[in-house]
Amino acid sequence: MTLFNKNINWYRFSFTYLMITCGGFIQGMAMAVFLFPHSIPSGGSAGIAVLLNYWFEIPLSFALWFVNFSLLVAAIFWLGNKSAIGTMYAITVTSISVQLFESTATYPNSNVWIDLVVGSVILGIGVGLLLRQQVSNGGMGVLALIIAKYRATSPGKPLLLLNGSVFILTGSIIFWGIVIQAVISQFISTRLVDFIFRANVNPTLLLMARKALKK
């Protein structure tokens, strides 16, 4: 392998993990600041985390980390080691982000529907950044990424369908209105996921690196 190829691979690796870090951080912010204060699950794994918090008062950040890692173990075979490691990193960044915003942010009495829309848009951006790097956001996102990989489709629709069952369970235990709010949240966020996933945008950092190395 030439020095040029080694440098390009290094920039590609750095750019990928920069995007994963941004995606995980943005996802965690959307959860902790806009969705979790209203007990709105951002996805299947978040719905289970909300239930664990409701039943056992387990901190949401740890519950989210535990659920995501548990589901990821079962999917490592289909994702492959590279994607699995990236997913583990994304889950960890998301959990740290949730903990950070839970411990430092203040939550004034805000309108649940405004928070729902804003949080869903931000969530979709974060999840979309992760899936563009072939890294799952954890939980049901693992299964959605597997379906997208083997059926050559975008992951938004299977993600919406997979999360629906968890939303029904969460709503039946905590509050049925959550189901409506969660479905609306998923509809908005998965539209953003599909848009970002399909966007034909070349990484600017990689292009600049290639030009610099050619000189």
Side-chain angles (χ1 to χ4, degrees), residues 68-205:
N68 279 322
F69 266 78
S70 298
L71 292 172
L72 179 61
V73 168
I76 288 178
F77 176 79
W78 291 278
L79 286 174
N81 291 335
K82 182 178 178 180
S83 183
I85 291 172
T87 299
M88 290 178 184
Y89 177 71
I91 292 169
T92 301
V93 172
T94 299
S95 297
I96 292 173
S97 178
V98 170
Q99 179 63 38
L100 174 66
F101 283 102
E102 275 189 336
S103 60
T104 60
T106 57
Y107 307 103
N109 295 327
S110 56
N111 186 288
V112 60
W113 296 105
I114 294 176
D115 282 357
L116 172 66
V117 173
V118 175
S120 299
V121 170
I122 297 174
L123 178 68
I125 294 172
V127 175
L129 289 175
L130 294 176
L131 294 178
R132 270 190 69 90
Q133 309 308 317
Q134 295 301 309
V135 165
S136 170
N137 62 316
M140 299 303 170
V142 174
L143 301 180
L145 189 59
I146 293 172
I147 294 172
K149 178 180 179 180
Y150 287 98
R151 295 187 61 121
T153 184
S154 58
K157 290 182 180 179
L159 188 61
L160 176 61
L161 294 174
L162 289 168
N163 286 332
S165 59
V166 178
F167 295 156
I168 293 174
L169 176 63
T170 305
S172 65
I173 294 173
I174 300 178
F175 174 54
W176 274 110
I178 292 177
V179 174
I180 298 174
Q181 294 168 346
V183 169
I184 293 174
S185 174
Q186 281 296 294
F187 179 80
I188 296 172
S189 63
T190 52
R191 298 290 78 74
L192 266 296
V193 167
D194 280 345
F195 175 78
I196 294 175
F197 186 83
R198 292 171 176 170
N200 186 20
V201 180
N202 293 321
T204 304
L205 181 59

